[in-house]
């Protein structure tokens, strides 16, 4: 299984954990809620769904087509609704707990971040810190490369290089803010005033406190180096 198809499977399982959907609804959510999947089409979504059904992580149920899912020539027809199984939920939770290097890459990180509300605090911290470390390494290489080649670059190529560096620097600052907020939330929960609440609920998957609005993660697609 390719890395890209693995990201798609992860996102599909995560969306279906929220509620059952048919293929059109899933595609719409992938395109609008998770911008990283804009390039996906029915051609890649349905093989993914069939694989998840074959693995026992989804089941297919027959329903009635909604008006928005119908084409003018098709009329009202039956549709397949995909529902997450208990095994699928367990598999998704296992994927959520993983914090390996793949979780730090551009597309995978964007998908992981989209489901941070369902992710434990410790895992969120490891993913955020891993992503920051990966970007800091990338930034160091970009600076070294620019220093070596600056004299040989024309003005436009040089400006493109600077733009890529600024994009990475901006995301590193954003990650620093997120990590600081996560730590502040953890410290607040570990204080004496919150000990009773911790005994009654873990609070690990609370929505991350945000100080500058609910902006999505920066788009790093225009980075000039990986």
């Amino acid at each position: 299984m390719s890395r890209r198809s693995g990201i798609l499977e992860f996102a599909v399982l995560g969306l279906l954990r929220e509620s059952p959907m048919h293929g059109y609804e899933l595609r719409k959510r992938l395109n609008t809620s998770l911008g990283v999947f804009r390039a996906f089409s029915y051609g890649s979504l349905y093989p993914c769904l069939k694989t998840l059904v074959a693995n026992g992580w989804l089941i297919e149920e027959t329903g009635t087509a909604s008006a928005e899912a119908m084409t003018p020539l098709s009329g009202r027809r039956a549709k397949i609704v995909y529902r997450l199984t208990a095994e699928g939920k367990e598999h998704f939770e296992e994927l959520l707990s993983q914090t390996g290097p793949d979780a730090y890459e551009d597309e995978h990180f964007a998908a992981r971040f989209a489901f941070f509300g369902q992710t434990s605090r410790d895992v969120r911290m490891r993913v955020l810190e891993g992503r920051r470390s990966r970007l800091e390494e990338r930034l160091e290489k970009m600076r070294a490369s620019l220093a070596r080649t600056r004299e040989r670059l024309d003005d436009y190529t040089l400006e493109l290089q600077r733009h890529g560096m600024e994009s990475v620097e901006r995301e590193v600052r954003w990650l620093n803010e997120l990590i600081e907020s996560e730590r502040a939330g953890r410290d607040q929960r570990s204080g004496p005033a919150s000990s009773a609440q911790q005994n009654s609920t873990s609070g690990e998957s609370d929505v991350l406190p945000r100080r500058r609005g609910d902006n999505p993660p920066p788009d790093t697609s225009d980075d000039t180096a990986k």
Side-chain angles (χ1 to χ4, degrees):
M1 179 177 62
S2 69
R3 174 181 297 175
R4 192 164 174 81
S5 63
I7 300 171
L8 179 59
E9 290 185 6
F10 172 82
V12 167
L13 291 172
L15 290 174
L16 290 176
R17 188 185 184 188
E18 299 174 3
S19 65
M21 302 181 206
H22 58 77
Y24 175 84
E25 292 170 325
L26 273 170
R27 185 189 182 201
K28 186 176 180 180
R29 289 290 305 277
L30 287 168
N31 289 341
T32 59
S33 301
L34 306 174
V36 68
F37 293 102
R38 283 191 297 268
F40 280 106
S41 65
Y42 279 112
S44 52
L45 176 58
Y46 280 98
C48 172
L49 290 170
K50 294 300 181 184
T51 297
L52 295 176
V53 170
N55 288 339
W57 298 329
L58 303 181
I59 58 173
E60 298 177 328
E61 299 175 341
T62 303
T64 302
S66 63
E68 64 175 350
M70 294 189 299
T71 62
L73 299 179
S74 65
R76 183 168 292 277
R77 67 183 188 277
K79 65 177 180 179
I80 301 299
V81 175
Y82 296 91
R83 183 183 299 275
L84 196 66
T85 65
E87 292 80 6
K89 181 179 179 181
E90 181 178 349
H91 178 63
F92 178 68
E93 291 174 349
E94 179 183 345
L95 293 176
L96 277 180
S97 68
Q98 295 178 3
T99 58
D102 282 350
Y104 315 147
E105 300 299 335
D106 294 344
E107 289 187 348
H108 206 152
F109 173 76
R112 289 298 302 268
F113 190 86
F115 295 100
F116 261 22
Q118 304 179 42
T119 307
S120 70
R121 186 177 301 276
D122 289 344
V123 170
R124 290 199 302 261
M125 282 291 293
R126 288 197 293 272
V127 172
L128 290 172
E129 289 174 342
R131 173 65 175 175
R132 180 177 63 181
S133 177
R134 179 63 53 86
L135 289 183
E136 288 173 340
E137 292 174 0
R138 182 185 302 177
L139 190 59
E140 183 177 351
K141 291 178 181 178
M142 294 173 73
R143 287 169 175 163
S145 175
L146 183 60
R148 291 193 305 270
T149 61
R150 182 187 298 273
E151 300 301 326
R152 300 195 300 270
L153 299 177
D154 60 61
D155 290 343
Y156 295 102
T157 303
L158 184 61
E159 191 61 30
L160 185 62
Q161 293 284 333
R162 288 172 176 166
H163 174 67
M165 289 177 56
E166 289 172 359
S167 297
V168 178
E169 289 169 345
R170 184 167 57 250
E171 185 173 352
V172 170
R173 290 194 298 269
W174 174 73
L175 289 167
N176 286 336
E177 292 181 359
L178 292 176
I179 291 170
E180 180 182 342
S181 294
E182 288 284 357
R183 286 174 176 165
R186 182 178 59 189
D187 293 343
Q188 184 178 20
R189 279 184 167 76
S190 63
S194 61
S195 59
Q197 182 181 358
Q198 280 190 310
N199 291 333
S200 59
T201 178
S202 64
E204 288 186 330
S205 60
D206 292 344
V207 177
L208 180 68
R210 303 295 297 276
R211 297 176 295 170
R212 296 189 177 180
D214 295 327
N215 295 325
D219 182 2
T220 58
S221 58
D222 60 354
D223 292 352
T224 57
K226 296 290 185 182

